[in-house]
Amino acid sequence: MESTLKELRDGNTVLEVDSKSAVSGGVRDVHGEDAATEDQIVTPWTISVASGYSLLRNPHHNKGLAFTEKERDHHYLRGLLPPSVVSQDLQVKKLMANIRQYTVPLQKYMAMMDLQERNEKLFYKLLMDNVEELLPVVYTPTVGEACQKYGSILRRPQGLFISLNEKGKILEVLKNWPEKNIQVIVVTDGERILGLGDLGCQGMGIPVGKLSLYTALGGVRPSACLPVTIDVGTNNQKLLDDEFYIGLRQKRATGQEYAELIHEFMCAVKQNYGEKVLVQFEDFANHNAFDLLARYGTTHLVFNDDIQGTASVVLAGLISALNLVGGTLAEHTFLFLGAGEAGTGIAELIALEMSKQTQAPLEETRKKIWLVDSKGLIVSSRMDSLQHFKKPWAHEHEPIKNLVDAVKAIKPTVLIGSSGVGRTFTKEVVEAMASFNEKPIILALSNPTSQSECTAEEAYTWSEGRAIFASGSPFDPVEYNGKVFVPGQSNNAYIFPGFGLGLIISGAIRVHDDMLLAACKCKKS
């Protein structure tokens, strides 16, 4: 992957901007907000931040009915709460009962966001205690619908909204954020939200959801997390015509104007928060994602979850699948549907791991991997018309227009979908995979569920129960011929919280491929 990014940096595809920037600052490891003990009942923040009525309106410190009798006296809460003291565990029990009454996932999402906005500690307790049930609510697939309707359901803004209106003032905007010791920033420009396309400013749901998982799954303090949406407009006419749309009402800025805004943001982040702040790029369109990673990968601690996170979790899944099908990575043949940032990122990391295992050149291991895009199989004869990130995957072969013919010609052992187009793994495709593989590996990775290349039931049924299946968003267990199959989930949530935490606690200042490969091979003890 680094070799591909080096090619981009050495070429002319990287965004060209003025590189002059001042770098200073640093993240101080000072967190005194929760310094209360039994001997020191009055915590420092009650004096400087909130007490009494304002404390109950502060989501970072509000405990609701869990405030004890002593705390109610010391924090001037007498009369502001009902007399009953309710433990956090009992509050969790009550809230889960309430959430389970909702039948519409978006209602559950809104209930969770409402809780986060009024009682942060209880929100994370609820999420951590019920992560399997609530992960699909705060993350994919429900967050996709939430982004589509973000303008209508927005109650209290979360994170920073940086638009073209703030050009030249981004450092000032960062200083408006109340928390100063930021360790992780998740940023999007909303152009490619999941498989839903350009959602503009309403893509903020993605950084908010990702950072919730940084805390719930990675243990990063909420106060050290900053969600950011960079609003340069949207090309989604439906949003531009929507009276409830919350972003800039203009077509997307591109070229130099776009590059300068991003560069100002990256320089301001480093100046305000220091060298070790992690910036995670989320849901940028292909034409920007690779260029941004190439440009800032050598100057900032940056991580693109769509390229690197997806690649890591898929490679980890493939390593596990080899325990069932046998062989090494180099003995398998891979076919991708989708040649964007996710598809090419996964392919590159697989090729890199094969190269390390076999000592073969990267150019050779890439030949075991084939990609299909909207125009068909990527082959050498298309080289002149290919985008730069697709060119390493153009191999010698006659042109093939559709997926099923590519499957029959290439005869892959592993079929991976990262196209963002639902129901593209048809019955004919899956049956073809099953015709020459005893245990075909089929990964339908596109999110949300509606965009998945096939369902778990389809994969198991059409392969007669022989497929090893995983998807990006969760599917329920499937019963086929009297046997229950539990589909795997190959979701970035299994990699980025721990990977990001490792970068933070190690004091890393750059992300390298060896880190991604190490993460792929970590096993739960």
Side-chain angles (χ1 to χ4, degrees), residues 231-250:
D231 186 359
V232 295
T234 178
N235 293 333
N236 186 331
Q237 192 60 46
K238 184 177 179 181
L239 288 180
L240 293 175
D241 294 337
D242 184 354
E243 63 178 324
F244 299 121
Y245 180 56
I246 59 175
L248 289 179
R249 294 182 182 273
Q250 66 173 63

Side-chain angles (χ1 to χ4, degrees), residues 352-399:
L352 182 62
E353 177 62 15
M354 283 195 288
S355 177
K356 286 184 173 292
Q357 289 180 3
T358 63
Q359 303 303 310
L362 187 60
E363 292 74 16
E364 287 299 313
T365 58
R366 283 172 177 163
K367 293 177 181 178
K368 299 285 291 183
I369 303 170
W370 298 81
L371 279 68
V372 173
D373 64 7
S374 59
K375 294 179 176 60
L377 188 67
I378 294 178
V379 293
S380 309
S381 59
R382 294 178 51 195
M383 185 68 77
D384 291 343
S385 63
L386 291 173
Q387 294 166 286
H388 58 83
F389 54 86
K390 296 181 182 181
K391 290 184 177 182
W393 312 103
H395 309 317
E396 289 293 336
H397 200 284
E398 68 271 11

Side-chain angles (χ1 to χ4, degrees), residues 34-47:
D34 298 326
T37 66
E38 290 184 2
D39 297 326
Q40 180 184 334
I41 298 176
V42 180
T43 52
W45 48 259
T46 58
I47 299 171

